[in-house]
Amino acid sequence: MTDTDFDFADVADTRARFAQEGYLADDQLATTVFLQSRLDKPVLLEGPAGVGKTQLALSLARATGRRLLRLQCYEGQDETKALYEWDYGKQLLYTQILREKIGQVVKDATDLTDAVEQIAKQDSVFFSERFLTPRPLLEAIDSEDPVVLLIDEVDRADEALEAVLLELLAEYQISIPEVGTIRAKHAPYVVLTSNNTRDLSAALKRRCLHLFLDYPDPERELEIIRSKETGLADELAAHLVDIVRGLRELDLRKAPSISETIDWARTLAVLGVEELSADVLSATLNVVVKYERDLRLSREALHRLVDPNAEVPASLHGHGHGHGHGHGHDHGHDHDDHPHGATPEDRDEGRRKRAEKDEPGRHHEGYYGGKGKPLGVREVSSGQGSRSFSTRKRPV
């Protein structure tokens, strides 16, 4: 088997073979993958969660007949979990064997110095490829067959691990101090994904073909749902796509992904839904919305997304009435739209009375319980003032 056994013939062939695996790639994505196969360059896919970045690597492996190796990145991950680690148990076992055979090792030594030299020659035995336990990165380089290496969510890894990746991405090789440099027998197809939780280094991006994957347009998303054979009628699926796109425009902690939209369509199909009502969607909303605050915001928006002319129930506003403010103040607009039955003359009279309340001197003399003293003015006799000051002690 050679590296070119499963190369794509052209962009159209790339797109067709991905479609056979259930992945609908557009021209830009198909072009990027085709160039990866011809240029031996890694591909870095950035974008929000749930737009098909990881799935692309899985489909690439199936479309090319390659084995998939996956490195899932996380905070605090070090190179022993990504590159390799030494098999200390095996080393210890060989140490016991050497101890039993030490006599044979030094039997020809002429003196103590020569014996030590003979033993020292055995050090390299314990730090050879025989005692290496390969992790995904080393396994991808040292594999006898070509593979697809998925480095998933590389933005979650620390910058130290990101630096370790540079040699592999540039030269498809790994340097091990005790062993030397191991070069790839077959150049792997490397796919890196990032959800943009942090910026990646320019050095890493420079080594990769870069592609930003965003949510598809409505027509394409509907096409993806149809390709998954969810069982939901086309008309309902189209309406569902519009609703999901409306949810993504809300201020949600996590917007619904494409895969979650597919799950929602399958859920509604299983329930035998024949019409998308706000009540049915609200009951199954947890399929696509995973945080309590997001659920509340989404439920408030569902009625409007299902039917823009629908009246949102007051109970969904999260407070005691449906206006979003108190009843005891002016709403900042005329009340013609409020069904209070007031005539224009009544409203004019109401405005006049409210204006009179803002006039100075509007209260009668006994309003504050006094005899007409202006508000905020208090008469104090000279005696009260002197007594007040005489009781205070001055600081020494």
Side-chain angles (χ1 to χ4, degrees), residues 41-42 44 46 162 166 169-170 200-210:
K41 296 273 287 184
L44 171 60
E46 293 191 280
E162 186 179 327
L166 298 181
L169 299 178
L200 301 176
S201 68
L204 186 144
K205 288 191 172 185
R206 189 171 61 249
R207 287 162 169 77
C208 302
L209 299 173
H210 181 268

Side-chain angles (χ1 to χ4, degrees), residues 85-324:
E85 61 181 336
W86 293 106
D87 190 339
Y88 296 113
K90 195 173 182 180
Q91 287 175 327
L92 181 61
L93 176 62
Y94 273 62
T95 301
Q96 297 296 330
I97 296 175
L98 178 62
R99 182 181 298 174
E100 296 171 0
K101 301 294 183 181
I102 193 70
Q104 298 179 12
V105 173
V106 300
K107 67 178 181 179
D108 297 330
T110 57
D111 53 26
L112 180 60
T113 301
D114 190 19
V116 172
E117 289 293 331
Q118 294 289 344
I119 295 174
K121 291 179 180 179
Q122 309 302 319
D123 288 350
S124 58
V125 173
F126 295 96
F127 291 97
S128 62
E129 293 187 43
R130 176 176 314 182
F131 296 98
L132 274 179
T133 300
R135 295 306 181 193
L137 300 185
L138 177 58
E139 189 175 357
I141 293 298
D142 203 34
S143 175
E144 294 294 336
D145 300 318
V147 300
V148 172
L149 173 61
L150 168 61
I151 304 176
D152 210 12
E153 297 184 327
V154 66
D155 53 319
R156 293 184 179 273
D158 297 334
E159 293 182 359
L161 181 60
E162 186 179 327
V164 170
L165 294 173
L166 298 181
E167 181 184 13
L168 180 145
L169 299 178
E171 306 293 339
Y172 292 125
Q173 67 181 34
I174 291 176
S175 295
I176 302 175
E178 300 87 350
V179 175
T181 300
I182 300 178
R183 293 178 174 83
K185 299 178 176 67
H186 306 277
Y189 289 158
V190 182
V191 178
L192 301 94
T193 73
S194 169
N195 294 335
N196 291 330
T197 58
R198 71 172 177 87
D199 290 335
L200 301 176
S201 68
L204 186 144
K205 288 191 172 185
R206 189 171 61 249
R207 287 162 169 77
C208 302
L209 299 173
H210 181 268
L211 185 63
F212 184 87
L213 290 185
D214 204 349
Y215 297 111
D217 56 46
E219 293 76 15
R220 185 160 193 79
E221 187 162 9
L222 179 58
E223 185 181 359
I224 293 173
I225 293 177
R226 287 170 177 164
S227 70
K228 300 303 179 180
E229 299 180 354
T230 61
L232 193 66
D234 279 355
E235 182 180 354
L236 297 183
H239 194 187
L240 184 65
V241 167
D242 290 338
I243 292 172
V244 170
R245 294 180 68 82
L247 292 177
R248 289 175 186 152
E249 294 178 358
L250 302 177
D251 183 23
L252 301 181
R253 179 176 175 182
K254 179 191 174 300
S257 67
I258 299 174
S259 60
E260 288 168 335
T261 304
I262 295 171
D263 291 340
W264 205 5
R266 286 175 174 157
T267 299
L268 296 172
V270 168
L271 294 175
V273 173
E274 297 181 353
E275 181 182 359
L276 298 187
S277 66
D279 292 338
V280 170
L281 294 177
S282 180
T284 56
L285 190 59
N286 59 321
V287 175
V288 295
V289 179
K290 307 302 171 65
Y291 294 95
E292 183 61 31
R293 174 183 173 276
D294 290 356
L295 282 169
R296 178 175 57 81
L297 292 175
S298 299
R299 285 196 177 100
E300 291 178 4
L302 269 180
H303 288 267
R304 173 179 53 81
L305 294 174
V306 172
D307 181 3
N309 298 319
E311 182 177 348
V312 180
S315 60
L316 292 179
H317 285 278
H319 30 65
H321 51 78
H323 298 287

